[in-house]
């Protein structure tokens, strides 16, 4: 199964045909605070945004989103979680977060991707990585 989070993104409203299209399906994400390590952010944000703990973490990619105009980078990880109790609304009130957590099958995640329902670049990249590496990941985690 795949855990996705859905939240309103102000940047998407300007190109959305309907207000609902500004609610994007994404992977858990966060900003690295000063003095914080990326792996610590992954654990913190997973608790805050999805209400779960990661038992295994695999670094995927570290990339520029738009190097022609910004120096911002993104680091992607794949984390193993127990999805059996995941679901509901999460997020930090002080950060004005209203995050709906979805647990979908791998096949459904790929269908959403193919249908253009997942439009945030980190989620697209993460799900494409999963499609390419799913079998080796299953062997690693499931024996």
């Amino acid at each position: 199964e795949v855990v996705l989070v859905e939240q309103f993104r102000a940047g998407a409203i300007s190109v959305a045909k309907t207000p609902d299209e500004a609610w994007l399906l994404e992977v858990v994400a966060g900003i690295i605070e000063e003095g914080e390590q990326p792996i610590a952010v992954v654990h913190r944000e997973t608790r805050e945004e999805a209400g779960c703990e990661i038992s295994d973490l695999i670094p995927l990619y570290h990339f520029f989103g738009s190097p022609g105009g910004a120096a911002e980078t993104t680091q992607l990880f794949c984390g193993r979680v127990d999805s059996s109790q995941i679901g509901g609304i999460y997020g930090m009130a002080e950060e004005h977060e209203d995050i709906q957590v979805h647990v979908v099958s791998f096949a459904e995640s790929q269908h959403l991707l193919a249908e253009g329902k997942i439009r945030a670049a980190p989620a697209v990249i993460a799900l494409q990585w999963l499609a390419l590496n799913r079998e080796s990941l299953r062997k690693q985690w499931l024996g």
Side-chain angles (χ1 to χ4, degrees), residues 4-7 23-27 100 102 112 117-120 123-124:
L4 298 171
V5 295
E6 181 179 11
Q7 56 187 318
W23 288 84
L24 300 183
L25 286 170
E26 303 176 334
V27 292
Q100 173 77 44
H102 301 276
L112 290 166
K117 304 288 186 191
I118 297 175
R119 298 177 293 142
V124 170

Side-chain angles (χ1 to χ4, degrees), residues 41-123:
V41 176
V42 172
H43 287 281
R44 173 175 51 81
E45 291 291 339
T46 302
R47 283 189 297 276
E48 290 176 7
E49 294 189 358
C52 60
E53 298 291 333
I54 296 173
S55 60
D56 292 296
L57 194 61
I58 299 169
L60 305 184
Y61 305 111
H62 186 192
F63 60 90
F64 291 98
S66 183
E72 180 179 80
T73 63
T74 299
Q75 289 182 268
L76 281 178
F77 296 85
C78 178
R80 181 179 185 182
V81 300
D82 177 358
S83 64
S84 65
Q85 302 299 313
I86 297 176
I89 306 292
Y90 290 89
M92 303 294 290
E94 60 270 14
E95 294 180 15
H96 309 288
E97 292 178 322
D98 182 13
I99 301 169
Q100 173 77 44
V101 177
H102 301 276
V103 178
V104 300
S105 68
F106 169 76
E108 178 66 12
S109 75
Q110 296 302 298
H111 175 74
L112 290 166
L113 185 60
E115 294 292 312
K117 304 288 186 191
I118 297 175
R119 298 177 293 142

Side-chain angles (χ1 to χ4, degrees), residues 28-33 36-46:
V28 169
I31 296 173
I32 299 172
E33 303 294 336
E36 196 173 29
Q37 296 299 312
I39 291 174
V41 176
V42 172
H43 287 281
R44 173 175 51 81
E45 291 291 339
T46 302

